[in-house]
Amino acid sequence: MKILLGIEGGIGKGIAATGAVTIAAQEHQVDIITAHPSIWEGNPHVNRVWDWNRMEYMSDFIKNYDRLILDDPYRNTQFLLNGVDLTGTYNYMLNGISEPVSPEIFLNKAEHLYVQGLLADIKKPIFVVQTNGGTSEGYAWPRDLPLDEAVEILNEFTQEYEIIHLKGPRQLEIQGIKHTGELNLRQSLVVLAMSKKRLLIDSVYQHAAAAMNLPSTILWVMTEQQKFGYQMHTNIQSNVPLLKNMDRLDSMFKGLWNSTDACPFAANQKIFNTKQIIEALRQN
């Protein structure tokens, strides 16, 4: 059977689908259509990847498939009502199995050698940190780590580790440390693969770390650890908000809503218990 799986949304969502695709590919030909095709490069379980930025899914090519899976897992009953996480929901959609499955990423030798050359002068083990996710140019309170809290945590490790900030070209920058703003996504994933310690948020790199079997410390604010996280990680929840506007967040996808006036954290409140995070990082 020829299957076309459509993946809407961000890069991490695509990584979460990779494990289910591997299972489906044991019996079927699986193609992907996504706005982020780079994470599928080198994947031996995928026949072809279509770029959603370059074509409409109702074009003639779609008639070549026996089965189309264009539903969003966020709207699936398994995900919303039955306690199945994102990887398990993709597994159900593709294979009828409501069980979590580990994601996969395939990086090639040239990518590794290129990034290793860029970082050849680094002598200390690498500590990577991601503070901001998505395409936002500023601080997105539902899932990001405030920079001042990140600096407080990282200051405890600067003597032992080379800190590298995993960031996109338009995302906030921690001054005084190396960053990946000029690297592409796959090159940044090599940096992640080279790291010895990781402090991440609920975004692309926590999914990638799971795909690479790299236990990490993951910070959670509004998005749900049970739906988007992995047991292999050390998962730390944010502090309890002090303001009384949480009822304004009673929506299906509250963790994805970034309206500044809905933020329930007080102006002088720390989002995370930084001492707890430092202790967790020292143990990992």
Side-chain angles (χ1 to χ4, degrees), residues 12 43 84 97 106 160 163 167 174 180 200 229 240 258 264 282:
N43 191 317
V84 181
I97 306 170
F106 299 89
E160 307 167 62
I163 311 294
K167 65 176 292 295
I174 300 175
T180 61
L200 309 170
V240 177
N258 189 33
R282 291 205 181 281

Side-chain angles (χ1 to χ4, degrees), residues 10-48:
I11 302 170
K13 198 173 177 182
I15 295 175
T18 55
V21 167
T22 297
I23 295 174
Q26 295 175 6
E27 298 183 3
H28 309 289
Q29 175 186 305
V30 182
D31 289 4
I32 305 294
I33 182 168
T34 174
H36 305 284
S38 66
I39 63 165
W40 297 95
E41 291 177 9
N43 191 317
H45 309 295
V46 175
N47 176 64
R48 181 167 184 175

